[in-house]
Amino acid sequence: MTIGIDLLSFSTSRYFFSLKSLANYRNVEYAKYYSGIGQMKMSVFPPNEDIVTLAIAASKRILTKVDDISSIDMLIFATESSFDLSKSAGIYVHHFLDLKPDCRVFDVKQACYSLTAAIQLAKNYVSAYPESKVLIIGSDIVKYSEESSGEPTQGGAAVAAIISKNPRLMSLEPYSSVYTRDIMDFWRPIYKNDALFDGKLSAQNYLESLKITFEKYLQKSGLKKEDVNYFCFHCPFCKMVKKAARLLSINNVDDTIIYNSIIGNSCSASLYISLISLLDNCPSDLTGKRVGMFSYGSGSVAEFFSGRIAENYRNVLFTEKHQNQLSSRSEISFKEYEAFRMDLPVNCCYENAGHVFLKTIEDDKRIYEILKNQL
Ligand code: HMG
């Protein structure tokens, strides 16, 4: 029996802010953002979108290809953008997806690494209960303070995946190596909206963690570097992926960063958006290919693991939906960008009726609603 990713999709905002405009307002050469950092656009979020609404949108899409949703008996929500220290964000998602009541729901956190932790937990769960499916979600909205060096790397998205036996997309291999190190490279105290970071230290620790985990992965698996056909790296910004590829002396990463370069950093979701980008955009047939996955979460925990792409994987991709969502986003002005950052009320529209949005916050309770008619 193989276990792995059966279905995988992402959802992001209906709005983007162009880094050309940001460069203009920040008096920075656009070349620094475009080639120095590798980013072109960032997804930005109006006040009625949050990690829950993004998660519901991504999950609803994959559920269209699940025959029996009553087989989902666990939902793991990975995030570092939580708005509640007690209630799990996953419970709102459970409600709007109409999952059965005897489905275990909880959140996990460890910076950008958390969705990988969720996948490994889910994999072990399915190996114990092979008839079960686990819905895992990584959803994050990344904000840095204005004019900080992190500002051009902001972004956000949710990824949803089903982990099951005999997966239609990618089976997970038993090899993996983990490296944990206590370091202050990126953190967000609970009283702050914007993340704090030491940019240079974070990049250095990312690369050291990659070197350590990859060497250990090869040692444990007995594989050679050439046995790994494709690589996906956690993508806080695309230049970081290029640096990771340079460190391992590999060069075929361009297909993995197409989506991240116009979404920005989506933390827990980012590595899996790289995988989706590869699957959607690589013209070669990936059947049977081994994909090496490097997950990094500041603070820090890193893991290198791998999977093999299933036969007929193209039948379960959502390529057109991803491409349409990204190409139909509306560009916002600098003034709107500032309003979005401060969560000021704005006129927003959604593509589809059926979209779940945050209607209001009353007595500190978040109230979500399904959009009845297209606006
Ligand atoms: P900075 O101070 O703007 O960087 O911060 P810089 O001045 O070193 O410039 C960046 C690059 O642009 C350099 O190239 C420059 O040469 C180039 P490099 O040396 O890197 O190859 N450059 C230009 N290129 C063309 N034309 C120009 C030009 N000017 C300069 N005119 C930094 C950059 C990434 C450090 C900053 O954005 C930052 O601190 N970001 C936030 C932290 C981060 O993303 N760290 C990544 C690793 S940690 C991680 O991945 C975890 C994370 O996702 C969080 C989590 O786990 O939850 C962040």
Side-chain angles (χ1 to χ4, degrees), residues 32 36 80 112 149 197 199-200 202 234 236 239 243 265 298:
K32 174 170 178 180
E80 61 177 289
C112 301
S149 63
F197 57 96
K200 304 285 176 223
S202 69
H234 167 55
K239 182 71 167 286
K243 288 184 184 186
N265 192 357
S298 285

Side-chain angles (χ1 to χ4, degrees), residues 185-186 197-207 240 296 298:
D185 63 330
F186 173 105
F197 57 96
D198 179 336
K200 304 285 176 223
L201 180 67
S202 69
Q204 188 191 328
N205 195 52
Y206 173 115
L207 292 175
M240 194 73 235
Y296 177 80
S298 285

